[in-house]
């Protein structure tokens, strides 16, 4: 463990030995003088862990798009279990960022002016440059963001139809209130619950916004598949995999079209 630190004397700010050589194993009772060696085993392991956390965090944020869901007839709710789970994961990732910042302030570095500057070959080939990066991971991340965005906009499109049809029902015999489109009815009293039940039995909102009915006037466009396949009301793991597949399918089609017109290709 001693090889992870560089001992610094209180009387000088220079290292005792040449660049990151193993320092003397004299115990220092004050940890304030212990500076981490960037080439040490501890930081090498931590950097690998931190890289894995960073990659994982990229896939965590789009999960917030899956929070809204269709929770019942003509109503939308927030998946509180998913909200709590994603928030915990996001908090743990942020904690790792904080630890990384603290470690950076306790890690030695090499002055740029002390480095030997060499002149290397400049690579300008886009295909060679692209192969230097983890294309499959990047492609998968883009697909997740695309699929999650498609899901969220599908929920929004469904709500737009409900709101539009709800605004048309303002009569005395059947009246639609915007709060009916919210699945959270814990504050409803018995009279409101009975009124809402009667509205569900008489309303045209469900029929006029049924995506499986080709005769409806409202058009869902590219979001129709999410509604007809009931992705918006499915369990999280089902909607996640379906939306990821949808993102992969459409992103690959977009890439194929772009590559064919620009004579550019990356193996995926």
């Amino acid at each position: 463990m001693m090889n992870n630190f560089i001992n610094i004397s209180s009387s000088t700010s220079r290292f005792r030995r040449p660049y990151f050589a193993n320092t003397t194993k004299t115990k220092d009772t004050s940890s304030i003088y212990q500076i981490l060696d960037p080439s040490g085993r501890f930081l090498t392991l931590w950097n690998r862990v931190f890289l894995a956390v960073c990659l994982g965090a990229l896939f965590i944020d789009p999960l917030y798009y899956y929070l809204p869901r269709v929770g019942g007839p003509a109503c939308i709710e927030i998946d509180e279990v998913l909200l709590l789970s994603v928030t915990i994961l996001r908090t743990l990732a942020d904690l790792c960022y904080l630890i990384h910042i603290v470690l950076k302030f306790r890690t030695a570095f090499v002055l740029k002016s002390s480095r030997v500057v060499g002149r290397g070959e400049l690579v300008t080939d886009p295909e060679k440059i692209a192969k230097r990066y983890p294309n499959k991971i990047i492609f998968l991340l883009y697909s997740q963001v695309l699929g999650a965005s498609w899901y969220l906009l599908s929920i929004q499109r469904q709500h737009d139809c409900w709101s539009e049809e709800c605004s048309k029902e303002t009569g005395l015999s059947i009246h639609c209130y915007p709060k009916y489109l919210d699945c959270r009815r814990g504050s409803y009293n018995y009279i409101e619950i009975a009124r809402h039940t009667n509205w569900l039995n008489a309303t045209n909102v469900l029929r006029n916004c049924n995506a499986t009915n080709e005769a409806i006037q409202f058009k869902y466009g590219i979001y129709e598949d999410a509604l007809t396949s009931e992705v918006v009301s499915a369990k999280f793991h089902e909607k996640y995999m379906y939306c990821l597949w949808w993102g992969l399918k459409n992103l690959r089609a977009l890439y194929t079209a772009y590559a064919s017109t620009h004579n550019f290709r990356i193996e995926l």
Side-chain angles (χ1 to χ4, degrees), residues 146-147 150 222 225 241-251:
L146 181 61
W150 174 69
I222 64 172
D225 186 28
M241 296 305 298
Y242 190 92
C243 293
L244 180 61
W245 167 81
W246 187 91
L248 282 169
K249 180 184 67 173
N250 287 274
L251 191 61

Side-chain angles (χ1 to χ4, degrees), residues 184-229:
R184 296 174 298 177
R185 305 189 189 98
S187 60
Y188 281 18
N189 55 42
Y190 292 107
I191 297 178
E192 290 178 328
I193 293 176
R195 186 182 299 168
H196 177 263
T197 302
N198 294 333
W199 172 78
L200 280 178
N201 294 331
T203 183
N204 294 320
V205 171
L206 296 176
R207 182 175 66 253
N208 294 339
C209 292
N210 186 358
T212 61
N213 185 3
E214 297 181 357
I216 62 174
Q217 296 181 354
F218 193 89
K219 302 303 179 183
Y220 289 100
I222 64 172
Y223 311 112
E224 181 177 333
D225 186 28
L227 303 174
T228 56
S229 59

Side-chain angles (χ1 to χ4, degrees), residues 154-201:
S154 299
I155 291 283
Q156 181 63 52
R157 193 61 177 160
Q158 177 72 90
H159 189 270
D160 289 343
C161 182
W162 287 342
S163 299
E164 182 178 314
E165 292 297 325
C166 181
S167 63
K168 298 178 182 178
E169 298 181 348
T170 57
L172 296 177
S173 59
I174 176 173
H175 191 100
C176 178
Y177 297 93
K179 62 183 179 181
Y180 288 168
L181 306 181
D182 187 350
C183 295
R184 296 174 298 177
R185 305 189 189 98
S187 60
Y188 281 18
N189 55 42
Y190 292 107
I191 297 178
E192 290 178 328
I193 293 176
R195 186 182 299 168
H196 177 263
T197 302
N198 294 333
W199 172 78
L200 280 178
N201 294 331

